[in-house]
């Protein structure tokens, strides 16, 4: 979790990039995804919960509550 990552962020488009290849290699697992980028629009007024669910060769993300 990244609490307070961008408090009071201005309205705009943002991108979170996860270095998944390095992470998985560090725990002895291989992946076809060296990184995963999540690009999203922020209205500057709401709380954002953007989970990334990761396995070796798949991932999913969604707007959480």
């Amino acid at each position: 979790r990244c609490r307070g990552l961008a408090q009071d962020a201005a309205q705009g488009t943002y991108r979170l990039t996860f270095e998944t290849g390095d992470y998985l290699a560090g725990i002895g697992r291989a992946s076809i995804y060296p990184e995963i980028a999540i690009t999203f629009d922020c209205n500057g007024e709401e709380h954002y919960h953007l989970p990334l669910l990761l396995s070796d060769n798949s991932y999913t993300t969604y707007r959480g509550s």
Side-chain angles (χ1 to χ4, degrees):
R1 293 185 183 249
C2 299
R3 296 187 188 276
L5 180 64
Q7 292 182 350
D8 301 320
Q11 182 175 356
T13 300
Y14 291 83
R15 178 175 293 132
L16 295 172
T17 303
F18 297 86
E19 299 293 333
T20 52
D22 293 344
Y23 168 75
L24 289 169
I27 60 172
R29 299 172 80 168
S31 176
I32 62 172
Y33 299 109
E35 70 178 29
I36 296 169
I38 300 172
T39 305
F40 62 99
D41 289 325
C42 173
N43 67 10
E45 298 176 6
E46 297 183 31
H47 165 82
Y48 286 81
H49 179 175
L50 303 171
L52 172 66
L53 306 176
L54 175 66
S55 70
D56 296 359
N57 294 300
S58 69
Y59 69 91
T60 189
T61 185
Y62 59 94
R63 170 80 190 262
S65 57

